[in-house]
Amino acid sequence: MWIFDAHLDLAMNAIEWNRDLTQPLQAIRESERHLRDKIDRGHGTVSLPEMRRGKVLGCVATLIARVEHDAFSPVQGWRSAEQAWSMTQAQRAWYQCMEESGQMRLIADAATLNAHVESANSPSSDPATPVPIGFVLSLEGADSIVNLDYLHRLHARGVRAVGPAHYGPGRYAFGTDSDGPLGSHGRQLLAEMDSLGMILDATHLCDTCFWEAMEIYEGPIWASHQNCRTLVPHNRQFSDEQLSALIQRKAVIGAAMDAWMLAPNWVRRQSTPQQHGVTLASVADHIDHICQLAGNDQHCGCGTDLDGAYGYEQTPADVNSIADISNLFSILEGRGYASESIERIASGNFIRFLQQAL
Protein backbone atom coordinates (compact mmCIF):
# COMPACT_ATOMS: atom_id res chain seq x y z
CA MET A 1 0.00 0.00 0.00
CA TRP A 2 1.24 3.48 -0.84
CA ILE A 3 0.05 6.94 0.19
CA PHE A 4 -1.15 9.95 -1.78
CA ASP A 5 -0.75 13.22 0.16
CA ALA A 6 -3.08 15.89 -1.24
CA HIS A 7 -1.21 18.91 0.11
CA LEU A 8 2.52 19.58 0.41
CA ASP A 9 4.27 22.94 -0.01
CA LEU A 10 7.42 21.35 -1.41
CA ALA A 11 8.63 24.20 -3.61
CA MET A 12 7.94 26.83 -0.94
CA ASN A 13 10.29 24.90 1.33
CA ALA A 14 12.89 24.55 -1.42
CA ILE A 15 12.84 28.18 -2.59
CA GLU A 16 11.82 30.30 0.42
CA TRP A 17 13.13 28.05 3.22
CA ASN A 18 16.24 27.13 1.17
CA ARG A 19 15.87 23.41 1.87
CA ASP A 20 17.45 20.88 -0.47
CA LEU A 21 14.66 18.33 -0.37
CA THR A 22 16.71 15.74 -2.23
CA GLN A 23 18.81 15.33 0.94
CA PRO A 24 18.06 13.08 3.92
CA LEU A 25 15.82 14.74 6.48
CA GLN A 26 18.44 14.75 9.22
CA ALA A 27 20.90 16.53 6.93
CA ILE A 28 18.33 19.26 6.27
CA ARG A 29 17.73 19.68 10.00
CA GLU A 30 21.47 19.85 10.72
CA SER A 31 21.95 22.52 8.05
CA GLU A 32 19.42 24.74 9.85
CA ARG A 33 20.59 24.24 13.42
CA HIS A 34 22.12 27.73 13.58
CA LEU A 35 19.19 29.59 11.94
CA ARG A 36 16.52 31.56 13.80
CA ASP A 37 14.71 33.37 10.95
CA LYS A 38 11.70 31.00 11.00
CA ILE A 39 10.05 29.28 13.96
CA ASP A 40 10.30 25.83 12.39
CA ARG A 41 14.04 25.89 11.64
CA GLY A 42 15.57 22.49 12.29
CA HIS A 43 12.11 20.97 12.74
CA GLY A 44 11.30 19.98 9.16
CA THR A 45 9.48 16.72 8.56
CA VAL A 46 9.56 16.35 4.76
CA SER A 47 12.19 15.41 2.20
CA LEU A 48 11.93 13.36 -0.98
CA PRO A 49 13.90 10.42 0.48
CA GLU A 50 11.68 10.52 3.57
CA MET A 51 8.56 10.47 1.41
CA ARG A 52 9.85 7.37 -0.34
CA ARG A 53 10.69 5.73 2.99
CA GLY A 54 7.09 6.27 4.08
CA LYS A 55 5.70 5.14 0.68
CA VAL A 56 4.28 8.63 0.07
CA LEU A 57 4.76 8.21 -3.67
CA GLY A 58 2.18 10.74 -4.90
CA CYS A 59 1.09 14.18 -3.81
CA VAL A 60 -0.55 17.46 -4.67
CA ALA A 61 2.33 19.94 -4.68
CA THR A 62 1.70 23.65 -4.44
CA LEU A 63 2.72 26.95 -5.88
CA ILE A 64 2.03 29.59 -3.25
CA ALA A 65 2.58 33.35 -2.99
CA ARG A 66 0.16 35.79 -1.35
CA VAL A 67 -0.32 39.49 -1.87
CA GLU A 68 -0.57 41.70 1.20
CA HIS A 69 -4.00 43.29 1.56
CA ASP A 70 -2.34 46.52 2.66
CA ALA A 71 0.95 47.63 4.15
CA PHE A 72 -0.29 46.90 7.68
CA SER A 73 -1.83 43.50 6.98
CA PRO A 74 -1.15 40.84 9.62
CA VAL A 75 -1.04 38.36 6.73
CA GLN A 76 2.43 38.63 5.22
CA GLY A 77 2.86 38.48 1.48
CA TRP A 78 4.22 40.24 -1.56
CA ARG A 79 3.43 43.87 -2.38
CA SER A 80 2.08 43.18 -5.87
CA ALA A 81 0.54 40.42 -7.94
CA GLU A 82 3.51 40.62 -10.30
CA GLN A 83 5.93 39.89 -7.48
CA ALA A 84 3.77 37.02 -6.26
CA TRP A 85 3.59 35.60 -9.79
CA SER A 86 7.37 35.71 -10.06
CA MET A 87 7.70 33.73 -6.83
CA THR A 88 5.33 31.03 -8.09
CA GLN A 89 7.40 30.76 -11.27
CA ALA A 90 10.59 30.26 -9.27
CA GLN A 91 8.77 27.46 -7.49
CA ARG A 92 7.58 26.01 -10.80
CA ALA A 93 11.19 26.04 -12.04
CA TRP A 94 12.25 23.95 -9.03
CA TYR A 95 9.63 21.31 -9.83
CA GLN A 96 10.93 21.23 -13.39
CA CYS A 97 14.43 20.60 -12.08
CA MET A 98 13.07 17.73 -9.98
CA GLU A 99 11.37 16.31 -13.07
CA GLU A 100 14.52 16.54 -15.20
CA SER A 101 16.63 14.84 -12.53
CA GLY A 102 14.14 11.98 -12.19
CA GLN A 103 13.20 12.84 -8.61
CA MET A 104 9.58 13.69 -9.41
CA ARG A 105 7.00 13.11 -12.15
CA LEU A 106 4.45 15.73 -13.18
CA ILE A 107 0.92 14.33 -13.40
CA ALA A 108 -1.21 16.54 -15.65
CA ASP A 109 -3.34 13.97 -17.48
CA ALA A 110 -4.98 10.62 -16.85
CA ALA A 111 -2.48 8.62 -18.90
CA THR A 112 0.47 9.86 -16.82
CA LEU A 113 -1.52 9.28 -13.62
CA ASN A 114 -2.26 5.69 -14.57
CA ALA A 115 1.36 5.07 -15.48
CA HIS A 116 2.45 6.44 -12.12
CA VAL A 117 -0.07 4.31 -10.23
CA GLU A 118 1.32 1.25 -12.00
CA SER A 119 4.90 2.14 -11.06
CA ALA A 120 3.92 2.92 -7.46
CA ASN A 121 2.19 -0.44 -7.18
CA SER A 122 5.26 -2.20 -8.60
CA PRO A 123 8.27 -0.20 -7.41
CA SER A 124 11.74 -0.97 -8.69
CA SER A 125 13.88 -3.15 -6.45
CA ASP A 126 16.94 -1.22 -7.57
CA PRO A 127 17.75 1.44 -4.92
CA ALA A 128 19.74 3.35 -7.53
CA THR A 129 16.55 4.02 -9.51
CA PRO A 130 13.90 5.00 -6.98
CA VAL A 131 10.33 5.62 -8.08
CA PRO A 132 9.85 9.30 -8.97
CA ILE A 133 7.33 10.95 -6.67
CA GLY A 134 4.27 11.82 -8.72
CA PHE A 135 2.83 15.28 -8.22
CA VAL A 136 -0.24 17.19 -9.30
CA LEU A 137 0.37 20.95 -9.39
CA SER A 138 -1.99 23.19 -7.45
CA LEU A 139 -2.00 26.95 -6.88
CA GLU A 140 -2.80 27.71 -3.25
CA GLY A 141 -4.35 31.17 -3.20
CA ALA A 142 -4.99 32.96 -6.49
CA ASP A 143 -3.42 36.33 -5.62
CA SER A 144 -0.54 35.75 -8.04
CA ILE A 145 -2.87 35.49 -11.06
CA VAL A 146 -2.22 38.97 -12.45
CA ASN A 147 -5.14 38.61 -14.88
CA LEU A 148 -7.02 35.69 -16.36
CA ASP A 149 -4.45 35.22 -19.12
CA TYR A 150 -2.08 34.11 -16.36
CA LEU A 151 -4.51 31.34 -15.40
CA HIS A 152 -4.13 29.96 -18.92
CA ARG A 153 -0.35 30.17 -18.56
CA LEU A 154 -0.57 28.14 -15.34
CA HIS A 155 -2.73 25.53 -17.02
CA ALA A 156 -0.29 25.26 -19.92
CA ARG A 157 2.52 24.73 -17.38
CA GLY A 158 0.70 21.82 -15.75
CA VAL A 159 -1.35 23.38 -12.94
CA ARG A 160 -4.58 21.42 -12.55
CA ALA A 161 -6.09 22.77 -9.31
CA VAL A 162 -6.57 26.24 -7.83
CA GLY A 163 -7.61 27.35 -4.37
CA PRO A 164 -8.88 30.93 -4.85
CA ALA A 165 -8.10 31.99 -1.27
CA HIS A 166 -5.53 31.45 1.45
CA TYR A 167 -5.45 33.50 4.67
CA GLY A 168 -7.20 36.85 4.96
CA PRO A 169 -8.76 38.91 2.16
CA GLY A 170 -7.45 37.99 -1.27
CA ARG A 171 -7.62 39.48 -4.75
CA TYR A 172 -10.23 36.93 -5.86
CA ALA A 173 -11.79 35.56 -2.66
CA PHE A 174 -11.85 35.86 1.11
CA GLY A 175 -9.97 33.19 3.03
CA THR A 176 -9.38 31.97 6.57
CA ASP A 177 -10.04 34.56 9.31
CA SER A 178 -11.93 36.86 6.93
CA ASP A 179 -15.32 36.92 5.28
CA GLY A 180 -16.98 38.45 2.25
CA PRO A 181 -18.36 37.58 -1.20
CA LEU A 182 -16.45 36.40 -4.25
CA GLY A 183 -17.23 39.57 -6.18
CA SER A 184 -16.94 39.94 -9.94
CA HIS A 185 -13.23 39.03 -10.12
CA GLY A 186 -13.72 35.86 -8.12
CA ARG A 187 -16.69 34.80 -10.21
CA GLN A 188 -14.77 35.45 -13.43
CA LEU A 189 -11.88 33.35 -12.12
CA LEU A 190 -14.18 30.43 -11.34
CA ALA A 191 -15.83 30.68 -14.75
CA GLU A 192 -12.43 30.58 -16.46
CA MET A 193 -11.28 27.66 -14.31
CA ASP A 194 -14.50 25.85 -15.20
CA SER A 195 -13.84 26.38 -18.91
CA LEU A 196 -10.40 24.78 -18.50
CA GLY A 197 -11.74 21.82 -16.53
CA MET A 198 -9.62 22.67 -13.49
CA ILE A 199 -10.17 21.38 -9.97
CA LEU A 200 -11.52 23.92 -7.48
CA ASP A 201 -9.83 23.51 -4.09
CA ALA A 202 -12.41 24.74 -1.57
CA THR A 203 -9.86 24.70 1.28
CA HIS A 204 -9.43 28.11 2.95
CA LEU A 205 -12.56 29.65 1.39
CA CYS A 206 -14.50 31.67 3.94
CA ASP A 207 -18.08 30.53 4.52
CA THR A 208 -19.65 33.13 2.23
CA CYS A 209 -17.28 32.38 -0.66
CA PHE A 210 -17.64 28.64 -0.10
CA TRP A 211 -21.40 28.66 -0.58
CA GLU A 212 -21.17 30.98 -3.59
CA ALA A 213 -18.55 28.72 -5.17
CA MET A 214 -20.62 25.61 -4.54
CA GLU A 215 -23.55 27.27 -6.29
CA ILE A 216 -21.76 28.48 -9.42
CA TYR A 217 -18.86 26.07 -9.99
CA GLU A 218 -19.77 23.13 -12.21
CA GLY A 219 -16.40 21.37 -12.40
CA PRO A 220 -14.64 19.02 -9.98
CA ILE A 221 -14.21 20.19 -6.38
CA TRP A 222 -12.08 18.88 -3.54
CA ALA A 223 -10.81 20.09 -0.17
CA SER A 224 -7.16 19.13 -0.25
CA HIS A 225 -6.33 19.76 3.43
CA GLN A 226 -9.38 20.27 5.59
CA ASN A 227 -10.71 19.17 8.98
CA CYS A 228 -14.04 19.22 10.84
CA ARG A 229 -15.46 22.26 12.64
CA THR A 230 -17.62 20.01 14.81
CA LEU A 231 -14.45 18.61 16.39
CA VAL A 232 -12.34 21.80 16.34
CA PRO A 233 -14.51 24.94 16.27
CA HIS A 234 -12.78 27.51 14.06
CA ASN A 235 -13.56 29.08 10.70
CA ARG A 236 -10.52 27.29 9.21
CA GLN A 237 -12.44 24.02 9.51
CA PHE A 238 -15.64 23.16 7.60
CA SER A 239 -19.01 22.62 9.23
CA ASP A 240 -20.95 19.40 8.83
CA GLU A 241 -23.22 21.23 6.39
CA GLN A 242 -20.22 22.24 4.26
CA LEU A 243 -18.70 18.76 4.41
CA SER A 244 -22.04 17.24 3.39
CA ALA A 245 -22.25 19.62 0.43
CA LEU A 246 -18.77 18.50 -0.67
CA ILE A 247 -19.76 14.87 -0.30
CA GLN A 248 -22.80 15.51 -2.51
CA ARG A 249 -20.41 16.88 -5.14
CA LYS A 250 -18.30 13.69 -4.97
CA ALA A 251 -15.38 15.58 -3.44
CA VAL A 252 -12.50 14.01 -1.54
CA ILE A 253 -11.38 15.73 1.66
CA GLY A 254 -7.76 15.42 2.81
CA ALA A 255 -7.14 15.28 6.56
CA ALA A 256 -4.64 17.94 7.64
CA MET A 257 -1.99 17.31 10.31
CA ASP A 258 -1.34 20.83 11.56
CA ALA A 259 -1.89 20.38 15.30
CA TRP A 260 -3.85 23.60 15.76
CA MET A 261 -6.45 22.16 13.38
CA LEU A 262 -6.70 19.06 15.56
CA ALA A 263 -7.03 20.58 19.03
CA PRO A 264 -9.70 22.99 20.33
CA ASN A 265 -8.38 26.06 22.17
CA TRP A 266 -4.90 25.89 20.64
CA VAL A 267 -2.87 29.04 21.36
CA ARG A 268 -0.41 29.88 18.58
CA ARG A 269 3.26 29.77 19.63
CA GLN A 270 2.31 28.61 23.13
CA SER A 271 0.45 25.31 22.88
CA THR A 272 2.18 22.02 22.19
CA PRO A 273 0.83 18.77 20.76
CA GLN A 274 1.79 17.04 24.00
CA GLN A 275 -0.22 19.50 26.12
CA HIS A 276 -3.33 18.94 24.02
CA GLY A 277 -2.89 15.22 23.46
CA VAL A 278 -2.72 15.62 19.68
CA THR A 279 -1.70 12.36 18.00
CA LEU A 280 -2.52 10.50 14.82
CA ALA A 281 -5.59 9.24 16.66
CA SER A 282 -6.82 12.85 16.49
CA VAL A 283 -6.44 12.74 12.69
CA ALA A 284 -8.34 9.46 12.64
CA ASP A 285 -11.18 11.19 14.54
CA HIS A 286 -11.63 13.68 11.69
CA ILE A 287 -11.47 11.00 9.02
CA ASP A 288 -14.01 8.89 10.87
CA HIS A 289 -16.32 11.89 11.35
CA ILE A 290 -16.42 12.49 7.58
CA CYS A 291 -16.96 8.78 6.90
CA GLN A 292 -19.92 8.80 9.29
CA LEU A 293 -21.37 11.88 7.59
CA ALA A 294 -21.00 10.26 4.19
CA GLY A 295 -22.09 6.81 5.26
CA ASN A 296 -19.08 5.38 3.42
CA ASP A 297 -15.29 5.66 3.02
CA GLN A 298 -15.28 7.23 -0.46
CA HIS A 299 -14.58 10.87 0.49
CA CYS A 300 -11.55 10.80 2.80
CA GLY A 301 -7.82 10.91 2.23
CA CYS A 302 -4.67 12.57 3.55
CA GLY A 303 -3.74 16.18 2.88
CA THR A 304 -1.15 16.54 5.60
CA ASP A 305 0.15 20.09 4.98
CA LEU A 306 3.34 18.99 6.75
CA ASP A 307 6.06 21.66 6.70
CA GLY A 308 3.43 24.23 5.78
CA ALA A 309 5.38 26.96 7.63
CA TYR A 310 5.60 24.78 10.73
CA GLY A 311 7.56 21.69 11.73
CA TYR A 312 7.36 18.86 14.23
CA GLU A 313 6.74 21.36 17.03
CA GLN A 314 3.21 21.58 15.59
CA THR A 315 2.52 18.10 14.25
CA PRO A 316 0.78 15.25 16.06
CA ALA A 317 3.07 14.15 18.87
CA ASP A 318 3.72 10.81 17.16
CA VAL A 319 4.70 12.42 13.83
CA ASN A 320 8.38 13.33 13.63
CA SER A 321 8.61 12.71 9.89
CA ILE A 322 6.25 12.37 6.96
CA ALA A 323 7.15 8.66 6.98
CA ASP A 324 5.30 8.34 10.30
CA ILE A 325 1.89 9.04 8.77
CA SER A 326 1.65 5.41 7.68
CA ASN A 327 0.91 4.64 11.35
CA LEU A 328 -2.46 6.35 10.87
CA PHE A 329 -3.76 3.33 9.02
CA SER A 330 -3.14 0.87 11.85
CA ILE A 331 -5.24 3.19 14.03
CA LEU A 332 -8.06 3.05 11.51
CA GLU A 333 -7.68 -0.72 11.35
CA GLY A 334 -8.05 -0.84 15.12
CA ARG A 335 -11.31 1.06 14.77
CA GLY A 336 -12.72 -1.57 12.46
CA TYR A 337 -11.81 -0.21 9.04
CA ALA A 338 -11.26 -3.02 6.53
CA SER A 339 -8.09 -3.20 4.43
CA GLU A 340 -10.00 -2.15 1.31
CA SER A 341 -11.27 0.96 3.09
CA ILE A 342 -7.80 1.80 4.35
CA GLU A 343 -6.34 1.53 0.86
CA ARG A 344 -9.00 3.90 -0.45
CA ILE A 345 -8.23 6.43 2.31
CA ALA A 346 -4.46 6.07 1.83
CA SER A 347 -4.53 6.79 -1.89
CA GLY A 348 -7.44 5.22 -3.74
CA ASN A 349 -10.03 7.95 -3.24
CA PHE A 350 -7.81 10.74 -4.55
CA ILE A 351 -6.59 8.56 -7.42
CA ARG A 352 -10.18 7.78 -8.43
CA PHE A 353 -11.06 11.47 -8.24
CA LEU A 354 -8.08 12.43 -10.40
CA GLN A 355 -8.74 9.73 -12.97
CA GLN A 356 -12.14 11.32 -13.52
CA ALA A 357 -11.02 14.96 -13.26
CA LEU A 358 -8.00 14.67 -15.56
Side-chain angles (χ1 to χ4, degrees):
M1 188 180 74
W2 61 284
I3 300 167
F4 186 91
D5 188 335
H7 191 85
L8 289 172
D9 298 314
L10 297 177
M12 180 192 80
N13 278 272
I15 301 301
E16 293 193 62
W17 266 246
N18 195 19
R19 288 172 170 165
D20 181 358
L21 298 183
T22 67
Q23 296 299 305
L25 183 59
Q26 192 56 40
I28 296 172
R29 290 176 177 175
E30 285 294 323
S31 72
E32 297 181 357
R33 179 184 293 183
H34 64 292
L35 299 177
R36 298 292 182 269
D37 58 320
K38 299 180 186 295
I39 61 172
D40 58 328
R41 283 301 189 192
H43 295 179
T45 64
V46 178
S47 72
L48 301 183
E50 203 70 5
M51 290 175 71
R52 292 190 186 92
R53 186 172 76 86
K55 296 186 178 179
V56 184
L57 300 180
C59 68
V60 176
T62 67
L63 307 174
I64 178 170
R66 293 186 297 230
V67 173
E68 291 181 348
H69 184 58
D70 58 53
F72 305 100
S73 172
V75 180
Q76 293 182 341
W78 302 97
R79 295 295 172 86
S80 71
E82 291 81 2
Q83 289 171 276
W85 170 262
S86 300
M87 174 53 71
T88 66
Q89 297 314 289
Q91 294 169 2
R92 180 64 186 92
W94 179 80
Y95 288 121
Q96 184 171 345
C97 289
M98 293 301 98
E99 291 176 70
E100 292 175 357
S101 64
Q103 293 278 350
M104 300 181 73
R105 172 188 286 153
L106 175 65
I107 296 171
D109 55 56
T112 308
L113 172 65
N114 291 333
H116 184 72
V117 170
E118 183 176 349
S119 65
N121 287 334
S122 304
S124 169
S125 59
D126 181 3
T129 57
V131 176
I133 293 170
F135 70 105
V136 177
L137 270 176
S138 179
L139 180 69
E140 185 175 23
D143 285 0
S144 61
I145 298 176
V146 178
N147 57 53
L148 293 182
D149 175 63
Y150 285 73
L151 178 67
H152 287 262
R153 297 187 201 182
L154 289 171
H155 187 268
R157 295 172 191 178
V159 174
R160 293 295 178 264
V162 175
H166 194 220
Y167 278 82
R171 298 182 62 238
Y172 293 93
F174 287 82
T176 300
D177 292 334
S178 65
D179 195 41
L182 285 169
S184 60
H185 291 300
R187 288 172 173 266
Q188 289 167 11
L189 173 68
L190 292 189
E192 205 70 14
M193 287 171 54
D194 227 339
S195 73
L196 291 168
M198 300 183 81
I199 299 163
L200 169 62
D201 190 347
T203 307
H204 282 295
L205 286 174
C206 74
D207 289 1
T208 300
C209 287
F210 173 88
W211 290 113
E212 286 186 43
M214 292 296 290
E215 179 182 348
I216 67 176
Y217 200 72
E218 298 180 357
I221 301 176
W222 67 22
S224 63
H225 55 305
Q226 190 70 34
N227 290 347
C228 308
R229 195 176 296 179
T230 294
L231 301 181
V232 179
H234 189 278
N235 69 76
R236 172 64 179 84
Q237 280 63 259
F238 280 163
S239 67
D240 285 359
E241 186 180 12
Q242 290 171 301
L243 294 170
S244 295
L246 288 168
I247 290 165
Q248 288 296 316
R249 293 290 297 270
K250 300 182 180 181
V252 182
I253 300 150
M257 296 191 186
D258 192 339
W260 84 269
M261 295 177 61
L262 296 164
N265 305 312
W266 183 276
V267 179
R268 296 290 188 92
R269 303 198 179 195
Q270 294 183 31
S271 296
T272 68
Q274 292 77 13
Q275 288 171 345
H276 286 267
V278 177
T279 66
L280 284 169
S282 311
V283 181
D285 291 343
H286 287 261
I287 290 174
D288 187 61
H289 184 79
I290 293 170
C291 288
Q292 301 308 318
L293 277 177
N296 58 59
D297 57 22
Q298 306 289 310
H299 301 279
C300 284
C302 293
T304 66
D305 198 18
L306 291 176
D307 289 1
Y310 67 96
Y312 63 71
E313 79 289 344
Q314 200 169 297
T315 65
D318 46 0
V319 174
N320 186 260
S321 151
I322 193 168
D324 295 329
I325 70 175
S326 60
N327 296 321
L328 169 66
F329 305 112
S330 60
I331 295 171
L332 291 173
E333 183 180 22
R335 296 187 184 188
Y337 281 77
S339 59
E340 295 85 357
S341 294
I342 291 171
E343 288 181 10
R344 282 190 284 269
I345 293 167
S347 61
N349 287 333
F350 272 114
I351 296 305
R352 184 194 69 247
F353 181 101
L354 284 165
Q355 285 170 333
Q356 295 168 358
L358 297 180

